[in-house]
Amino acid sequence: MNNQDFLVIGSGIAGLFFAYKIAPYGSVTILAKDEPYQNNTFYAQGGIASVALGSDSFESHIQDTLLAGAGICKESVVRNVVTEGPDAINELIALGVGFDRDKSSGEYSLGKEGGHSERRIFHAKDQTGAEIHRALYDHVKNLPNVKILSHHLSIDLITKKNQVSGAYVLNKKTREIQPFSARVTILATGGAGKVYLYTSNPDVATGDGIAMAFRAGAKIANMEFFQFHPTCLYHPLAKSFLITEAMRGEGAVLKNSAGERFMQNYDPRAELASRDIVARSIDAEMKRTGADCVYLDISHRDSEFIKTHFPFIYQRCLSFGIDLTKQAIPVVPAAHYTCGGVVVDEYGATSLPGLYALGEVAATGLHGANRLASNSLLEAVVYAKRATQDITQKLANFPAPEALKGWDHLDTAISEEEVIVSYLWDELRRLMWNLVGIVRSNRRLKLALRRILEIKNETKDYYWKYRVEPDLIELRNLVNVAELVVRSALIRKESRGLHYNLDYPQTDDQNWKKDTLICKTDLV
């Protein structure tokens, strides 16, 4: 039997750090839907934000976060995360994370990114996420009561008497579906960037945790706030390759197809404005000029500085024939981060007993209408610690894992109908990109919703008639996420942060300074 005290669904920073903290209190199973490194954490380039320098302050970081969040951050949450940041950084360092240091002083070399008023970004060259994941994974995999299972894709949460008691899981290699029973289930599944045609996210980012929690009855909020990273490499062979915001922090400038800087025309902070503003400005400039992309130029900096600070990006661009020490990089915005998600309290607990959500899958209140750069990794570590604290204090409230009934749905062979899944997957992502992107309108949103509901019904019919395959499970989840994004966007009759609606171009603080909360019962 697959019984464990703690079932962690997801192998990124949130899941691994939680497993590290909770391991002394019981058995832990971590489920990775692919290889353990295939997650948004591993591909995070920029860094993790935390106050460190004498000129910086908690209050400065707090105000930067609140400003980026456009009025709907939960200030108490922001203060908790920011003030607990230094301890989180110290724990990562103690676990072996090698953040960059200044060669002369030996002090940590801190970067600056859009929306930050001070240098406070701890980084490891331009592969910070990979370094954090390496250190955490190397430690956690050796803990005696932690088991990490790769290629295990969760299908649905299991609830008994309104208490989450585990999940049904597909072993992608054996094709066997088994129940995993747990005292506490933790969603650390990351975001849902693959709901859009163009995204910086890896293929695994299909919104699984959000969709499963929603189907189980958990509260979801603020799904209209989908962050588009301003600068992804524009090249036919460069799938999902992000150009870190830290490059703009080190002086890179944005230019249009005529070679002219343009960000100063949209915001006085120019290239260092928050992500929602920069992405929307690039979109507007592309539409104004009719160009397919804009250009990010750091070639005016010393070539050794560029190669030293951005070695991975330098080599990757060079492989496509772009030498960023000599020429500008073609870039476009791409879907990047899910600011909404499963509603949690200050300790990561969801509205369903026995279920916690950590990291990008969760709506904590930290990000509001737009995430401040490099706050996501910080949030994941802080909330993993907070969840551990809460769970260990309440452990007696969570029933011991018990035997669960097996998966009892139909399981017949797939024939040529597999092409339908591929077609629906592609259609969904294209309509989300074209109709529910950086700039929206009521007409586009309503058109998108009609087609999403049709795809939802088609997916449901196929789901019950044929074998439950990974692509079909993920399509089902993406359809749920797409519907949540569109319904949330239709509810918000204003433009705020990452949500810009041509029919409501103004921000209405008096009437709409609140979350867009959706429950499963709202859609029945």
Side-chain angles (χ1 to χ4, degrees), residues 340-519:
V342 185
V343 176
V344 298
D345 66 12
E346 60 184 327
Y347 294 100
T350 73
S351 57
L352 296 178
L355 181 68
Y356 286 69
L358 307 173
E360 190 174 351
V361 69
T364 64
L366 175 66
H367 307 308
N370 175 49
R371 176 175 70 89
L372 182 65
S374 291
N375 268 357
S376 54
L377 297 178
L378 178 67
E379 176 192 48
V381 176
V382 169
Y383 266 81
K385 292 177 65 176
R386 284 179 154 262
T388 301
Q389 176 185 345
D390 193 54
I391 290 169
T392 54
Q393 290 179 349
K394 300 176 179 177
L395 205 51
N397 297 339
F398 301 114
E402 57 184 71
L404 300 173
K405 70 174 184 177
W407 180 261
D408 58 2
H409 298 323
L410 296 177
D411 190 26
T412 57
I414 281 185
S415 59
E416 70 278 0
E417 298 302 315
E418 183 72 16
V419 69
I420 296 176
V421 176
S422 298
Y423 172 79
L424 293 177
W425 180 296
D426 183 70
E427 182 184 356
L428 178 70
R429 296 178 65 208
R430 285 182 184 277
L431 79 84
M432 286 295 291
W433 181 261
N434 291 327
L435 301 179
V436 199
I438 296 173
V439 177
R440 303 158 179 177
S441 70
N442 287 343
R443 182 182 180 187
R444 296 176 195 173
L445 292 171
K446 291 175 181 177
L447 176 61
L449 182 59
R450 286 198 296 272
R451 183 57 189 137
I452 288 168
L453 293 178
E454 291 174 355
I455 296 175
K456 182 179 180 180
N457 288 331
E458 292 162 7
T459 303
K460 183 178 179 181
D461 289 343
Y462 190 76
Y463 180 78
W464 289 104
K465 290 180 180 178
Y466 299 95
R467 182 187 298 274
V468 179
E469 291 286 321
D471 283 353
L472 183 57
I473 295 169
E474 292 177 332
L475 174 61
R476 179 183 181 227
N477 292 334
L478 286 174
V479 171
N480 286 159
V481 169
E483 182 181 0
L484 288 167
V485 171
V486 174
R487 289 192 184 277
S488 297
L490 284 168
I491 291 171
R492 186 166 292 279
K493 295 175 170 56
E494 63 163 355
S495 289
R496 180 185 295 276
L498 298 164
H499 171 71
Y500 189 83
N501 189 327
L502 293 170
D503 294 300
Y504 310 104
Q506 302 301 315
T507 298
D508 185 358
D509 279 326
Q510 183 175 354
N511 296 315
W512 292 98
K513 192 175 181 180
K514 58 184 179 181
D515 295 334
T516 45
L517 186 66
I518 296 181
C519 301

Side-chain angles (χ1 to χ4, degrees), residues 20-48:
Y20 156 67
K21 298 296 288 186
I22 203 71
Y25 300 94
S27 58
V28 184
T29 297
I30 301 173
L31 302 178
K33 66 186 289 187
D34 201 280
E35 294 297 328
Y37 64 85
Q38 282 293 346
N39 47 65
N40 281 345
T41 296
F42 184 83
Y43 292 98
Q45 295 177 357
I48 179 169

Side-chain angles (χ1 to χ4, degrees), residues 103-268:
K103 290 183 179 179
S104 57
S105 68
E107 298 293 328
Y108 286 105
S109 175
L110 303 181
K112 186 177 182 181
E113 296 180 348
H116 288 274
S117 56
E118 298 285 346
R119 286 186 172 271
R120 61 172 72 102
I121 313 301
F122 287 80
H123 57 86
K125 298 293 187 292
D126 53 356
Q127 289 187 282
T128 308
E131 170 61 12
I132 292 174
H133 191 274
R134 177 204 62 77
L136 284 176
Y137 182 72
D138 285 350
H139 183 84
V140 171
K141 72 179 181 181
N142 293 317
L143 295 175
N145 55 340
V146 174
K147 180 168 56 177
I148 302 175
L149 301 178
S150 60
H151 301 281
H152 278 66
L153 174 57
S154 298
I155 302 173
D156 277 314
L157 296 173
I158 301 171
T159 57
K160 296 180 69 175
K161 299 179 181 179
N162 198 40
Q163 174 110 8
V164 174
S165 53
Y168 286 112
V169 180
L170 169 69
N171 183 324
K172 292 164 65 176
K173 290 187 175 180
T174 66
R175 297 306 198 212
E176 184 180 9
I177 297 173
Q178 291 184 331
F180 280 67
S181 177
R183 299 183 74 174
V184 183
T185 301
I186 295 87
L187 295 175
T189 52
K194 295 298 285 189
V195 77
Y196 285 99
L197 184 61
Y198 301 109
T199 176
S200 65
N201 292 182
D203 289 342
V204 295
T206 51
D208 304 332
I210 295 171
M212 288 191 297
F214 177 71
R215 291 195 297 266
K219 295 178 181 178
I220 311 294
N222 295 345
M223 289 298 293
E224 72 272 33
F225 298 126
F226 216 107
Q227 187 174 77
F228 289 78
H229 196 287
T231 53
C232 281
L233 180 61
Y234 179 72
H235 190 282
L237 301 179
K239 180 182 178 182
S240 305
F241 186 65
L242 182 72
I243 306 297
T244 176
E245 189 160 350
M247 192 173 286
R248 282 180 280 132
E250 297 297 344
V253 296
L254 286 163
K255 298 179 180 180
N256 60 23
S257 55
E260 305 163 333
R261 288 186 67 183
F262 59 85
M263 274 307 305
Q264 69 276 9
N265 300 327
Y266 295 93
D267 191 280

